[in-house]
Amino acid sequence: MKSILLTFLLVLALGGGVRELTADNFDHIITSAEWVLVHFRTSWCGDCWEVDKAFRALAPELLHVKLGRIDGDEEDWIARQNDVTDYPTLKLYHNGAPAEQLTGIQTADSIRAFVAEMTNQ
């Protein structure tokens, strides 16, 4: 129990965790770190819920990448502006610019491998 609490406090102290993105903070968040991984999802998409579980589970592990998620229905103009047409989509930004994306169902292992390959970490 102590190790879980310490990990949680470390994630908070280092700014980890998954941020909820909106029109108000999207641009700021994707330009606030070298690497940012955004989960574009919708409430009606069953695969999005599965990807979201894996995405959130990786938060304590992926401390070198900021994680955010955004509802593509509520913030549809952001999804369109970022060429997101399918859900779920994981889009990786490097210094504020789109670098690469994954579309469709993903596991924690596939997300971890994608981030490691793209960030060389």
Side-chain angles (χ1 to χ4, degrees):
M1 183 66 179
K2 262 187 173 177
S3 65
I4 293 172
L5 179 59
L6 289 174
T7 300
F8 177 73
L9 292 174
L10 178 63
V11 167
L12 287 178
L14 295 174
V18 178
R19 291 153 183 81
E20 294 296 329
L21 304 181
T22 66
D24 293 333
N25 67 4
F26 185 84
D27 289 335
H28 172 72
I29 295 294
I30 67 166
T31 59
S32 67
E34 180 180 8
W35 294 101
V36 180
L37 183 61
V38 177
H39 177 207
F40 287 85
R41 65 191 186 9
T42 64
S43 59
W44 51 262
C45 168
D47 288 347
C48 295
W49 292 99
E50 292 304 312
V51 171
D52 199 56
K53 287 180 201 172
F55 189 69
R56 288 175 165 281
L58 289 171
E61 202 177 309
L62 299 177
L63 297 177
H64 65 291
V65 177
K66 267 193 182 178
L67 302 178
R69 65 185 202 151
I70 189 162
D71 188 305
D73 284 335
E74 291 180 16
E75 307 289 351
D76 64 323
W77 74 271
I78 293 175
R80 282 182 283 145
Q81 190 176 40
N82 286 273
D83 299 319
V84 173
T85 57
D86 297 313
Y87 297 97
T89 293
L90 294 170
K91 194 156 198 153
L92 186 65
Y93 295 84
H94 183 239
N95 294 321
E100 190 61 66
Q101 72 180 37
L102 290 174
T103 302
I105 191 78
Q106 303 297 324
T107 64
D109 287 340
S110 67
I111 297 168
R112 183 184 300 110
F114 170 70
V115 169
E117 178 183 343
M118 293 302 299
T119 64
N120 295 315
Q121 291 188 20

